């Protein structure tokens, strides 16, 4: 087990393309950290630099307190699980798992014992004599995990390991990896573009965009206190709703009015102090779909309700997603399963404004 | 309309099949006939099956004697045994050289990003644009120079290098001439193997050589087999370079041997023996092709499609 440290790490490809810019990160001993972001955000490149598969252009990477910039991958004491599993197709499952140990000249008995132990943990004992092509996607992924754990490395690196699996299997394997983490207690760094995976698995999450770290936080903090518009929109499903508008001070109340003028919402008392200074400025109001509340009487409450046109209704059984249109903005509501308004009808919905987020309209940085 | 076009397709294919198969069948059937039978009955069913019309004449060999005699004479009297062994030696050593050098070069070109990768690749490939006949004469003189140069170095050791009239020289030529195509084929093949395999092995602790030997080479087997078959066919049947660079009878390969038998015997040609010689040349080719046919088609398609 070991800590992993990144100090102002950058990666610039020939031709001047900066894939990763000034990333600093401390991963604690035994911690599970998830790097998440859209494709091309530099998360995989960061992981590959930790693995030693990409050279670091600038900055310093350390594993277990030792700077590893110049250390070849095999001497970093890491194991990596790849998106396409990267199992050796011509070797049996047993040999796939034993390959790394054989290269490191472990005694035969120990190799056998380690492989069988890992196979037992992952419940793939009966697959040991098969070749990868005779395995299902989920089984292959288990073998890939097995190959990583037999080595008993200081750090596990995962590069989108579940992307090739179907939805059901993904949920199952997610749980397996979490169990494995609890059991082994090894430091794990996990890359994914799926924010649900990130939220459910990570002790801490690193959100990246265009090679730059946007926020490093626990899942709940990331959800409740996103530092900018990108993080707010990226984390959460369905994503946060955004309304463009302005803060105005009118007769002692601070009010948010949308650019088109049809929406006027009172700023919640608890937010007023922080937003006072931004009166008269352009802001972006964000509200999560679950903070749209059903208005039972369908009577608008001034400063707290929206009157919207229903564009689409998605009943999911446990809840309903409402896709609404207000003042040229599309917003999504996540409401009780019983709420099933007619498409194209007018629908009144209340907002829990105590949960609203406000972002600077020009920079996108969170004000609150 | 569809029926007509289907019938047409089948007709064309059938004619093609006949054009390929009939000559082979004819060669095989004539290899078990005596010269006399070939003169009298070259296209009918062999006398070995129908019975000889000279069955009552003890001075004419029986069909079985004629068939066995053809192969026996070819193998021993006409030295096909020596030619065969030379051909086997030249072909196996050349193939070993072509495949090992070709695979290493192709792997490096396919996997590593170095400064002169592209020009080097084009340099290799450009070899395919030069007709082999064109290099024949310059090569003949170069061999003399190289032989003299090397001999100057090795003479103190009591050893003389001679690339002319030597199987070593012939093997060197075959390896050099076959590398461009082999590298073209295998580079595409190695490129189609996922790079994550290499990365995974590197993290597992493998050196680049181990990755090549233990991961990439086994996976490239269909490509290697394809290259092996193509080159086998080319080298096993090669005549021109062998004719120019080899002259002593004990160093001749099969195609040269067959030609020399037919030239020597210009006034009294033993056709039965020559057909038997042809069969001796053809059988290994057919066997190799039949055994590796499945790998061959796999190799061609896998190499062609990336991903």
């Amino acid at each position: 087990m070991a800590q992993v440290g990144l100090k102002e790490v950058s990666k610039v490809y020939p031709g001047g393309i900066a894939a990763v810019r000034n990333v600093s990160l401390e991963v604690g001993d035994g911690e599970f950290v998830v790097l998440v972001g859209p494709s091309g955000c530099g998360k995989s490149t960061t992981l590959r630099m930790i693995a030693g598969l990409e050279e670091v252009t600038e900055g310093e990477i350390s594993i277990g307190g030792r700077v590893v910039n110049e250390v070849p991958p095999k001497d970093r004491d890491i194991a990596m699980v790849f998106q396409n599993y990267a199992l050796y197709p011509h070797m049996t499952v047993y040999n796939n798992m034993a390959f790394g140990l054989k290269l490191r000249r472990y005694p035969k008995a120990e190799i056998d014992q380690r492989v069988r132990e890992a196979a037992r943990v992952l419940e793939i004992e009966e697959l040991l004599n098969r070749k990868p092509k005779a395995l299902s996607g989920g089984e292959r992924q288990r073998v890939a995990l097995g190959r990583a754990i037999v080595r008993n490395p200081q750090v596990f690196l995962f590069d989108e390991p579940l992307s090739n699996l179907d939805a059901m299997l993904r949920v199952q394997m997610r749980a397996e990896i979490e169990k494995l983490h609890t059991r082994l207690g090894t430091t794990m760094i996990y890359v994914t573009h799926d924010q649900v995976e990130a939220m459910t698995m990570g002790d801490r999450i690193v959100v990246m965009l265009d090679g730059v770290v946007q926020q490093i936080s626990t899942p709940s903090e990331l959800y409740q206190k996103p530092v900018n518009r990108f993080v707010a929109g990226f984390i959460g499903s369905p994503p946060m709703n955004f309304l463009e508008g302005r803060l105005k001070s009118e007769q002692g109340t601070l009010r948010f009015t949308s650019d088109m003028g049809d929406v006027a919402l009172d700023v919640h008392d608890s937010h007023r102090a922080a937003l006072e200074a931004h009166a008269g400025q352009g802001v972006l109001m964000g509200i999560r779909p679950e903070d749209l509340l059903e208005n039972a009487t369908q009577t608008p409450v001034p400063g707290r309700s929206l009157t919207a046109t229903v564009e689409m209704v998605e009943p999911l059984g446990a809840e309903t997603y409402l896709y609404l249109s207000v003042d040229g903005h599309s917003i999504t509501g996540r409401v009780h399963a019983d709420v099933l308004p007619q498409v194209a009808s007018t629908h009144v919905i209340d907002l829990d404004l105590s949960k609203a987020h406000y972002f600077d309209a020009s920079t996108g940085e969170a004000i609150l | 309309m569809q029926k007509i076009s289907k019938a047409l397709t089948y007709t064309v294919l059938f004619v093609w099949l006949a054009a390929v198969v009939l000559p082979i069948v004819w060669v095989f059937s004539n290899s078990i006939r005596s010269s006399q039978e070939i003169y009298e009955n070259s296209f009918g069913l062999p006398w070995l099956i129908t019975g000889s019309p000279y069955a009552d004449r003890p001075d004419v060999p029986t069909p079985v004697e004629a068939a066995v005699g053809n192969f026996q004479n070819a193998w021993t009297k006409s030295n096909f045994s020596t030619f065969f062994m030379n051909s086997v030696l030249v072909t196996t050593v050349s193939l070993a050289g072509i495949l090992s050098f070709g695979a290493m070069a192709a792997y490096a070109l396919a996997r590593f990003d170095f400064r002169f990768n592209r020009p080097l690749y084009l340099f290799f490939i450009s070899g395919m644009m030069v007709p082999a006949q064109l290099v024949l004469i310059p090569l003949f003189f170069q061999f003399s120079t190289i032989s003299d140069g090397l001999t100057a170095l090795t003479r103190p050791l009591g050893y003389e290098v001679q690339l002319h009239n030597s199987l070593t020289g012939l093997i060197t030529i075959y390896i050099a001439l076959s590398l461009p195509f082999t590298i073209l084929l295998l580079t595409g093949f190695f490129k189609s193997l996922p790079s994550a395999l290499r990365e995974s092995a590197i993290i597992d602790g493998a050196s680049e050589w181990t990755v090549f030997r233990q991961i990439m080479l086994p996976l490239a087997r269909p490509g290697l087999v394809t290259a092996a078959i193509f080159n086998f066919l080319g080298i096993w049947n090669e005549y021109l370079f062998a004719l120019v660079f080899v002259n002593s009878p004990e160093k001749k390969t099969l195609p040269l041997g067959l030609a020399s038998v037919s030239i020597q015997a210009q006034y009294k040609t033993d056709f039965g023996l020559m057909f038997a010689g042809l069969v001796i040349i053809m059988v290994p080719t057919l066997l190799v092709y039949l055994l590796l046919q499945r790998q061959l088609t796999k190799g061609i398609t896998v190499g062609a499609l990336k991903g």
Side-chain angles (χ1 to χ4, degrees):
Chain A
M1 287 191 282
Q3 297 164 329
V4 176
L6 279 77
K7 214 152 115 198
E8 304 200 338
V9 170
S10 295
K11 172 74 190 179
V12 182
Y13 283 108
I17 305 148
V20 173
R21 286 181 247 188
N22 280 327
V23 169
S24 293
L25 170 68
E26 285 296 328
V27 180
D29 199 357
E31 196 179 11
F32 196 127
V33 167
V34 179
L35 306 182
V36 69
S39 21
C41 73
K43 55 190 191 296
S44 279
T45 310
T46 308
L47 192 78
R48 290 167 61 81
M49 283 194 284
I50 299 172
L53 297 172
E54 299 275 355
E55 272 177 42
V56 177
T57 313
E58 248 177 74
E60 214 173 79
I61 294 180
S62 59
I63 296 174
R66 173 174 70 134
V67 176
V68 293
N69 285 35
E70 303 301 325
V71 178
K74 67 180 166 93
D75 298 328
R76 293 190 181 197
D77 204 3
I78 47 156
M80 186 157 166
V81 178
F82 292 82
Q83 179 177 357
N84 54 7
Y85 322 127
L87 299 178
Y88 313 125
H90 58 300
M91 296 184 193
T92 60
V93 168
Y94 184 97
N95 285 332
N96 259 285
M97 288 165 71
F99 185 70
L101 300 175
K102 281 184 193 162
L103 288 177
R104 282 159 213 269
R105 301 186 193 288
Y106 277 74
K108 230 175 181 164
E110 189 179 349
I111 294 178
D112 192 66
Q113 184 245 322
R114 282 205 194 192
V115 170
R116 289 189 192 283
E117 170 65 14
R120 198 181 54 75
V121 170
L122 293 162
E123 294 168 18
I124 49 171
E125 286 155 297
E126 72 282 12
L127 306 178
L128 285 175
N129 291 321
R130 290 211 211 151
K131 293 247 176 96
K133 69 168 181 243
L135 304 178
S136 69
E139 288 168 343
R140 284 179 203 183
Q141 192 50 270
R142 277 168 202 272
V143 176
L145 283 176
R147 190 171 60 178
I149 63 177
V150 287
R151 293 244 321 276
N152 200 9
Q154 291 199 60
V155 181
F156 280 104
L157 306 174
F158 296 91
D159 191 3
E160 308 213 20
L162 307 183
S163 308
N164 287 0
L165 301 178
D166 64 48
M168 282 255 288
L169 212 53
R170 206 178 303 170
V171 175
Q172 202 185 327
M173 285 307 294
R174 208 161 75 192
E176 295 276 339
I177 294 176
E178 282 174 272
K179 264 199 274 177
L180 208 62
H181 179 239
T182 320
R183 188 190 161 99
L184 303 173
T186 312
T187 312
M188 293 188 176
I189 305 178
Y190 188 105
V191 161
T192 178
H193 62 268
D194 181 349
Q195 53 97 15
V196 179
E197 258 173 46
M199 294 293 278
T200 50
M201 299 174 87
D203 293 332
R204 277 192 306 155
I205 298 174
V206 180
V207 184
M208 293 182 73
L209 176 69
D210 296 335
V212 179
V213 170
Q214 305 291 310
Q215 188 168 3
I216 305 177
S217 295
T218 60
S220 63
E221 189 177 275
L222 212 55
Y223 194 73
Q224 281 152 16
K225 288 184 183 157
V227 294
N228 59 30
R229 187 204 160 143
F230 171 75
V231 176
F234 189 77
I235 300 291
S237 172
M240 185 185 277
N241 300 298
F242 293 103
L243 297 166
E244 287 165 34
R246 224 158 246 295
L247 286 174
K248 283 182 188 163
S249 207
E250 285 171 4
Q251 296 139 19
T253 47
L254 191 60
R255 186 165 281 175
F256 170 86
T257 50
S258 73
D259 283 347
M260 305 285 215
D262 287 356
V263 174
L265 298 165
D266 293 343
V267 169
H268 192 264
D269 289 343
S270 61
H271 295 161
R272 191 184 300 210
L275 293 174
E276 226 34 283
H278 293 266
Q281 293 177 3
V283 294
L284 208 59
M285 194 190 92
I287 186 127
R288 296 225 178 256
E290 62 269 29
D291 298 327
L292 268 64
L293 310 169
E294 181 57 11
N295 182 315
T297 57
Q298 287 292 298
T299 350
V301 185
R304 201 156 83 73
S305 298
L306 295 174
T307 307
T309 313
V310 180
E311 290 191 325
M312 198 164 70
V313 180
E314 273 183 3
L316 297 179
E319 59 197 2
T320 300
Y321 289 173
L322 294 182
Y323 296 91
L324 310 164
S325 159
V326 186
D327 193 14
H329 292 92
S330 292
I331 60 171
T332 311
R334 189 171 170 179
V335 293
H336 195 268
D338 297 342
V339 182
L340 295 165
Q342 287 290 314
V343 172
S345 66
T346 305
H347 194 74
V348 176
I349 199 136
D350 292 345
L351 306 182
D352 182 354
L353 289 167
S354 69
K355 305 264 181 68
H357 300 259
Y358 296 90
F359 304 92
D360 187 304
S362 50
T363 63
E365 296 300 316
I367 301 168
L368 191 75
Chain B
M1 193 60 205
Q2 228 181 8
K3 261 189 180 168
I4 297 173
S5 83
K6 204 172 172 182
L8 204 71
T9 313
Y10 274 94
T11 314
V12 170
L13 287 176
F14 191 79
V15 170
W16 196 328
L17 177 77
V20 173
V21 171
L22 286 183
I24 297 176
V25 172
W26 186 67
V27 168
F28 270 88
S29 84
N30 278 349
S31 72
I32 53 167
R33 297 175 210 245
S34 63
S35 287
Q36 188 182 8
E37 185 186 344
I38 292 171
Y39 285 126
E40 293 177 26
N41 173 38
S42 179
F43 294 98
L45 278 174
W47 290 348
L48 191 65
I49 297 168
T50 59
S52 165
Y54 303 103
D56 50 348
R57 281 181 47 186
D59 58 320
V60 177
T62 64
V64 177
E65 280 167 2
V68 174
N70 282 345
F71 284 94
Q72 240 167 18
N73 288 341
W75 191 255
T76 51
K77 272 196 204 151
S78 299
N79 277 331
F80 269 71
S81 55
T82 310
F83 306 149
F84 192 86
M85 289 324 288
N86 286 342
S87 270
V88 168
L89 180 76
V90 168
T91 310
T92 34
V93 176
S94 301
L95 279 185
I98 292 164
L99 292 183
S100 46
F101 292 131
M104 285 192 276
Y107 180 67
L109 289 169
R111 274 284 164 258
F112 299 112
D113 201 14
F114 53 93
R115 192 140 170 241
F116 295 107
N117 184 318
R118 191 75 194 156
L120 200 61
Y121 177 69
L122 293 175
F123 174 71
F124 274 125
I125 301 308
S126 64
M128 281 167 57
M129 301 195 308
V130 183
Q133 293 82 343
L134 208 65
V135 297
L136 199 62
I137 292 167
L139 200 58
F140 191 85
F141 291 112
Q142 264 185 359
F143 262 29
S144 305
T145 322
I146 295 172
S147 300
D148 292 347
L150 288 176
T151 302
L153 292 173
T154 53
R155 187 165 293 138
L157 306 169
Y159 184 71
E160 224 167 89
V161 179
Q162 185 50 267
L163 293 172
H164 286 300
N165 193 25
S166 86
L167 295 183
T168 317
L170 200 57
I171 289 168
T172 315
I173 297 173
Y174 287 160
I175 293 177
L177 290 181
S178 309
L179 276 178
F181 169 73
T182 309
I183 288 172
L184 173 79
L185 184 84
L186 292 180
T187 305
F189 212 88
F190 281 120
K191 271 189 181 158
S192 72
L193 299 176
S195 58
L197 288 178
R198 170 180 166 261
E199 293 173 346
S200 178
I202 295 253
I203 291 178
D204 264 346
S207 62
E208 290 293 356
W209 176 249
T210 312
V211 173
F212 173 69
R213 265 290 297 115
Q214 296 197 24
I215 309 289
M216 294 304 178
L217 216 49
L219 292 178
R221 216 180 78 183
L224 293 173
V225 170
T226 309
I229 293 178
F230 277 128
N231 288 316
F232 173 86
L233 294 179
I235 294 170
W236 186 260
N237 296 323
E238 207 284 326
Y239 178 70
L240 184 64
F241 281 88
L243 177 72
V244 172
F245 286 92
V246 174
N247 23 28
S248 13
E250 76 279 4
K251 286 182 181 158
K252 285 183 175 168
T253 54
L254 277 173
L256 276 188
L258 184 69
S260 69
V261 168
S262 71
I263 293 164
Q264 279 161 16
Q266 49 186 308
Y267 300 112
K268 186 184 167 294
T269 306
D270 186 346
F271 280 114
L273 181 143
M274 282 179 55
F275 277 111
L278 264 179
V279 168
I280 292 172
I281 296 185
M282 274 163 55
V283 164
T285 317
L286 289 175
L287 280 181
V288 165
Y289 189 78
L290 283 178
L291 287 176
L292 302 177
Q293 185 193 24
R294 255 190 38 200
Q295 303 262 13
L296 179 72
T297 39
K298 199 170 153 197
I300 292 170
T301 47
V302 174
L305 289 171
K306 209 184 161 218

